[in-house]
Amino acid sequence: MHQAPATPKAVRRQHDREIVSLAVPAFGALVAEPLFLMADSAIVGHLGTPQLAGLAIASALLSTAVSVFVFLAYATTAAVARRVGAGDLKAAIRQGVDGIWLALLLGAAVVALTLPTAPWLVSLFGASDTAAPYAVTYLRISILGIPAMLVVLAATGVLRGLQDTRTPLYVAIAGFAANGALNLGLVYGAGLGIAGSAWGTVIAQLGMAAAYLVVVVRGARRHGASLRPDTAGIRASAQAGVPLLVRTLSLRAVLMIATAVAARLGDADVAAHQIILSLWSLMAFALDAIAIAGQAIIGRYLGADDADGARQVCRRMVQWGVLSGVALGVVLVLTRPLFVPLFTSDQAVQDALVPALLVVALSQPVSGVVFVLDGVLMGAGDGPYLAWAMLLTLAVFAPVALLVPVAGGGLTALWGAMTLMMTVRMATLWFRARSGRWIVTGATR
């Protein structure tokens, strides 16, 4: 008997189940990293203001380093998912191993560069004489954990490509718990102060990397994949990552320009901007979780030579992005009276904050489409287009944002420029998605 073809409704339900099963654990794992920093801040904050200021500076440098190398997760997810779709699990894991070796090499380079230059890097941030020594101490110790953190990124990409986002969630929860316990014990129990916080974080990161490596090594042995470094494979991983690095740096430049412009608007505006940016980042985690599901699913469909399936799931993901954006925007507006007083009691900051928040709320459906299509094109391995699209977006955004203070605009105008930036991103990504040129099937792009 021939099986009846699945109805469109059944196909949508199947896509929805896949998206939810991958996106929900991915969201939990994404939130873990900022929770690391929050726990460190809460523990170090009781040591004194100079120590907390030093932690803030060092953490900004460390989080920038990690965010720059996030391509290790993105590029690995897409490459591994393609091979999973093609049914070649041995090649999939081998691809992941190459990504992990690249992470170790990049991590070693970051450590070698940062250890001798730590005082200079801290001075670039304008640290005070009292905060600088603590920042240097924390940075020099914490940077030793960067190779482990980059291995975590690459290994997370391997597991996402294997359609597993639950293991990264479990590792993230265990890492967060270990980080908190170690920090308390070393900072106060052992009396190591801010150095204890740094060592606690390094040990937790090493533990997370070790857990991932155990999972990957077991998978390699099960499928007969080599664990030795392969120069050609590492080079291919690096080449796939370069366009995504350009994209990430362009996005970081947008955020830096926005903060620099806010600082020129005055203290109340920059304080309100910081609050909005933290809320914007939290909502971005929710939307990025859907994008991660998109990376894994699209890569698998293309690897399985199923172009029609890739198109269908892309359409469904866009619908998810729009609905999620609308939901986040509504929640932001409805809960505004509850959270605004928690962030600040300064009336001037609140006055700057509220109208700009409404602009952010209205822009969330646009953000939803942007994140989803970003994930779809990453899953397709369409990195070069993403790089050029983000450079174009930066070229449009920069002059508009820099004109805000000149034209006498305030924070609402700045976030209007940020909404323009997201709209340009949506237009470039939508154009690519509609063209179908991202659809390249097979085990490799």
Side-chain angles (χ1 to χ4, degrees), residues 96-130:
V97 169
D98 291 335
I100 290 170
W101 277 112
L102 176 62
L104 282 169
L105 290 171
L106 290 172
V110 171
V111 172
L113 287 169
T114 307
L115 281 177
T117 59
W120 176 74
L121 289 169
V122 166
S123 70
L124 277 181
F125 273 68
S128 68
D129 291 341
T130 51

Side-chain angles (χ1 to χ4, degrees), residues 30 39 43-44 56 58 111 172 194 217 231 342 354 378:
L30 286 168
I43 292 166
V44 170
V111 172
I194 195 169
V217 168
T231 305
L342 292 177
V354 172
M378 280 185 196

Side-chain angles (χ1 to χ4, degrees), residues 338-359:
L338 299 175
F339 66 76
V340 167
L342 292 177
F343 280 107
T344 179
S345 57
D346 187 324
Q347 191 59 48
V349 176
Q350 289 188 13
D351 290 344
L353 184 64
V354 172
L357 267 179
L358 293 175
V359 173

Side-chain angles (χ1 to χ4, degrees), residues 70 72 159 188 235 237 241 253 299 317 328 330 367 444:
V70 76
L72 288 165
L159 295 179
Y188 297 113
R235 191 185 303 115
S237 293
M317 302 275 316
L328 287 169
V330 170
S367 296
T444 57

